[in-house]
Amino acid sequence: MNSFIPSKANIVGFILSCVFLTLCLVITSTQFALGALIQLGVDISFSTRLDTTLHDLVSMGPVIGILFSIGMLLAIIVGAQIARLVGILPSLVFALAGFAAVLVTITALKSLLDITAIVATRNWDGYLLFCLIGALTGYLYRQISARLTPAK
């Protein structure tokens, strides 16, 4: 029964990796949106980029964080089971789980809202970049939780 109760290392790893995920996704989304405006000929200064990014972190961060953290939680639970089953390369398993978590979350949002709500994911480059951030988050989760787990 104890295997269903997460350790402190797992909880800390999850929280830190989800903070990383949220920061990266919001910053990426903001920069893609600003990049689209620049392509239209709008002049955007560095200070405007910085102000917009900070504004988006405060306003979009909580929503993005909650939505993608739920997906990441499910992926980590499944990833932990797969890693136990496979027994090798747990970091790769969690990276793939993170990739899948973001992919499924974006797809679910598109299906539920019938629009692509996140501007950066409207093109393949942004979609792939979001998924790669998810993979890096899964890898980060594994590294943090493994380092914080006491040796047996």
Side-chain angles (χ1 to χ4, degrees), residues 31-133:
Q31 297 312 310
F32 265 80
L34 292 174
L37 289 173
I38 289 171
Q39 286 181 343
L40 293 173
V42 177
D43 186 34
I44 298 176
S45 67
F46 179 76
S47 64
T48 302
R49 277 185 179 272
L50 189 59
D51 289 343
T52 305
T53 302
L54 292 174
H55 175 268
D56 286 353
L57 282 169
V58 171
S59 62
M60 287 180 7
V63 174
I64 295 289
I66 290 168
L67 290 173
F68 284 90
S69 294
I70 291 169
M72 192 59 67
L73 177 62
L74 296 173
I76 285 173
I77 291 169
V78 172
Q81 297 304 317
I82 293 171
R84 261 190 226 115
L85 247 158
V86 174
I88 59 170
L89 302 172
S91 295
L92 178 62
V93 171
F94 283 103
L96 291 172
F99 187 96
V102 172
L103 186 136
V104 169
T105 303
I106 292 169
T107 305
L109 285 172
K110 183 171 172 46
S111 295
L112 288 171
L113 302 175
D114 203 28
I115 61 167
T116 305
I118 302 170
V119 173
T121 62
R122 290 184 183 156
N123 296 319
W124 279 105
D125 54 349
Y127 197 92
L128 181 60
L129 185 56
F130 264 52
C131 292
L132 290 174
I133 291 169

